Amino acid sequence: MRAFVVTVPAEQVELASDALWGLGVVAVEERAGGHGAVELWTSLGDELPPEQVHLPAEWPWRFVEVDEMVADTWREFAQPVWVQPDLVVRPAWVPFEAPTSVTVLHIEPGSTFGMGDHPTTMLSLRALRRLVQPGCTVLDVGCGSGVLAIGACVFGAGHADAIDIAPAAVPVTRDNAAANGVAQRIHVSTTDLADVDGSYQLVLANILAPTLVALSADLQRVLAPGGALVISGILAEAHAHVLQALAPLQVVASDEMDGWVAITLR
Ligand SMILES: C[S@@+](CC[C@H](N)C(=O)[O-])C[C@H]1O[C@@H](n2cnc3c(N)ncnc32)[C@H](O)[C@@H]1O
């Protein structure tokens, strides 16, 4: 398999890592790149062709052939993530037992994003849990592993449509939905948001700011009257422009973790 390696100045590591998370990677490893530079090693999976990778010109990138065994070592260290005292996201291959009072989401991410360990996923899960009404309809934009759509259905949503530009998200979300007993209530596809013509009481979009801005008109269009939109994937320090793009929707809740935020709008 091929590693995707981006070389960045040390002071831009955080910014570049965020950009890579936004491309849907599942792990980023930092290695010294020499001359004050840092190499970020990651895997794009097969679904994202290089021509769809848009990184600033000052961050040169390359592909490197790596041993599959080495590329998968992160799996050995994966741990269940406690999202709340009674909600855990469990890597599907990690043995884990919890009291019946704890809700456990079993997730096999394959090459998609969404193990529950990123602050934006945790914040989105907490927000959707507050907002899900029994039987409500949900749209998960940028579903990755399907963790948010699955969480919404486990907490009582009637139906969730899950979409992602990455084709790998389709079988991964489908399998995860089955593993969590909600396969009948989730439909996953690579449909563009622009082509979604339903309307939903709860819309979830954990995607980086530039994409949220680009999708802002469609995010509003698919929101049912009185519905709630949860956006994440945005930094606490720099998201005013995203809220501007989503006007006249108003912020009704904002939660922060490690510099990231999830914002609920109505
Ligand atoms: C940060 S991940 C979120 C994954 C998962 N929903 C979670 O919360 O952990 C962002 C996802 O959005 C997808 N994505 C990026 N741009 C998109 C777009 N324009 N339409 C749909 N999905 C998109 C990526 O492929 C990736 O799977």
Side-chain angles (χ1 to χ4, degrees):
M1 81 175 271
R2 293 186 310 170
F4 180 66
V5 182
V6 185
T7 306
V8 301
E11 63 277 10
Q12 291 184 16
V13 164
E14 210 165 319
L15 197 63
S17 299
D18 290 348
L20 290 169
W21 287 117
L23 289 173
V25 304
V26 287
V28 179
E29 185 188 332
E30 293 175 24
R31 298 189 191 176
H35 304 291
V38 173
E39 288 184 349
L40 300 176
W41 285 64
T42 185
S43 164
L44 289 179
D46 297 330
E47 72 279 4
L48 192 62
E51 60 272 17
Q52 282 185 26
V53 176
H54 300 295
L55 293 174
E58 62 272 24
W59 297 346
W61 53 265
R62 67 191 196 277
F63 285 103
V64 178
E65 286 300 326
V66 291
D67 187 332
E68 189 109 16
M69 298 276 288
V70 176
D72 260 3
T73 47
W74 69 273
R75 287 179 157 265
E76 278 177 42
F77 303 103
Q79 290 292 327
V81 177
W82 289 84
V83 176
Q84 288 175 314
D86 59 352
L87 173 60
V88 170
V89 178
R90 167 193 162 234
W93 61 97
V94 175
F96 178 70
E97 284 193 28
T100 49
S101 57
V102 175
T103 301
V104 182
L105 305 179
H106 313 275
I107 297 293
E108 166 52 73
S111 62
T112 69
F113 182 106
M115 275 309 305
D117 55 342
H118 195 265
T120 58
T121 310
M122 296 175 86
L123 291 168
S124 298
L125 281 168
R126 290 176 190 169
L128 74 83
R129 194 173 180 188
R130 292 198 301 260
L131 294 162
V132 163
Q133 299 285 333
C136 75
T137 52
V138 177
L139 177 66
D140 181 358
V141 184
C143 63
S145 67
V147 61
L148 301 184
I150 290 165
C153 287
V154 165
F155 287 119
H159 181 84
D161 283 329
I163 58 173
D164 202 296
I165 48 169
V170 176
V172 168
T173 295
R174 202 173 278 151
D175 289 350
N176 283 327
N180 289 277
V182 293
Q184 302 305 318
R185 282 185 280 150
I186 294 186
H187 181 259
V188 55
S189 70
T190 53
T191 306
D192 270 354
L193 179 60
D195 297 327
V196 172
D197 56 10
S199 82
Y200 301 83
Q201 283 139 348
L202 180 57
V203 176
L204 310 166
N206 178 11
I207 309 191
L208 282 189
T211 309
L212 289 173
V213 170
L215 299 179
S216 57
D218 282 314
L219 288 170
Q220 297 190 62
R221 179 180 58 78
V222 296
L223 194 60
L229 167 66
V230 177
I231 53 167
S232 194
I234 49 180
L235 299 169
E237 294 295 314
H239 64 267
H241 62 299
V242 181
L243 300 183
Q244 252 165 29
L246 288 165
L249 291 179
Q250 298 281 324
V251 176
V252 293
S254 174
D255 302 288
E256 181 178 342
M257 183 193 280
D258 297 342
W260 296 89
V261 280
I263 293 183
T264 305
L265 303 110
R266 286 190 188 273

